[in-house]
Amino acid sequence: FLTRGVTYVWGVTGFDNTNTAVARAITEFSLQPSPSSGTCVVSPTSGTAYTTLFTFTCSGWSGGDTIRYKFTASFGVIFRSTGLSASYTTLLPDTVSSIAVTISNEGGGSTTTTVNVDVQTPSIIPSTLLSEQVAAAQSACANGDVSTTSISVSNALALSSSLSSEASSLINA
């Protein structure tokens, strides 16, 4: 396996049927190093689920002409697929404790860093929040905003699951 950032020389020699070298080609190549030396942060670092807008921002990454960013929640939902924007603002459910940011370059190199976030359970009735998320998803969908639609639907599903769990515990109590 090849190491990023190292230069390799590769050569081929062709021989005829008398074992005489008739052609020779040599090439030099290197694999671009993975992005490095940057940071990713969140502001604010703490907030309330479904109501606080969290902004994740990356800066200082080097290791390629084109740096791309992918923001993924701790439960595997990709909030923003790979793009050039180094920041992303979103509402989060209280099931998220961190966001993984994968930073990649055009040479295939990548590195992932984790940004921890403190998302607290809201004091508002979850059914009210559920209605708000469904309305946000419908509005975003009508406007063709796939990213916001996806997030609002994910939030609505998480709230729906939360309401189902609460109902089950009340029934079983």
Side-chain angles (χ1 to χ4, degrees):
F1 291 77
L2 304 178
T3 304
R4 294 194 171 282
V6 173
T7 300
Y8 294 91
V9 177
W10 185 62
V12 176
T13 303
F15 296 90
D16 65 13
N17 59 357
T18 64
N19 210 20
T20 302
V22 292
R24 181 171 286 149
I26 296 175
T27 188
E28 191 174 290
F29 67 94
S30 62
L31 298 177
Q32 194 172 51
S34 295
S36 62
S37 303
T39 60
C40 294
V41 297
V42 62
S43 178
T45 57
S46 179
T48 305
Y50 311 107
T51 57
T52 301
L53 280 173
F54 293 95
T55 300
F56 296 86
T57 305
C58 299
S59 62
W61 292 94
S62 61
D65 293 331
T66 305
I67 302 292
R68 297 184 176 277
Y69 304 86
K70 179 172 77 172
F71 298 85
T72 308
S74 53
F75 53 87
V77 171
I78 297 173
F79 282 127
R80 172 172 282 163
S81 59
T82 306
L84 297 174
S85 179
S87 69
Y88 183 62
T89 300
T90 186
L91 296 172
L92 294 172
D94 55 4
T95 55
V96 172
S97 59
S98 63
I99 295 290
V101 184
T102 302
I103 303 96
S104 59
N105 60 30
E106 69 279 2
S110 68
T111 188
T112 300
T113 186
T114 300
V115 181
N116 293 319
V117 61
D118 179 25
V119 184
Q120 299 163 8
T121 303
S123 59
I124 300 173
I125 300 168
S127 60
T128 302
L129 287 172
L130 178 58
S131 297
E132 290 173 1
Q133 289 302 310
V134 168
Q138 290 170 334
S139 173
C141 186
N143 292 323
D145 184 349
V146 176
S147 180
T148 302
T149 300
S150 174
I151 292 165
S152 295
V153 168
S154 293
N155 287 346
L157 289 172
L159 280 164
S160 177
S161 174
S162 171
L163 286 171
S164 177
S165 295
E166 287 177 26
S168 292
S169 64
L170 288 173
I171 291 169
N172 295 328

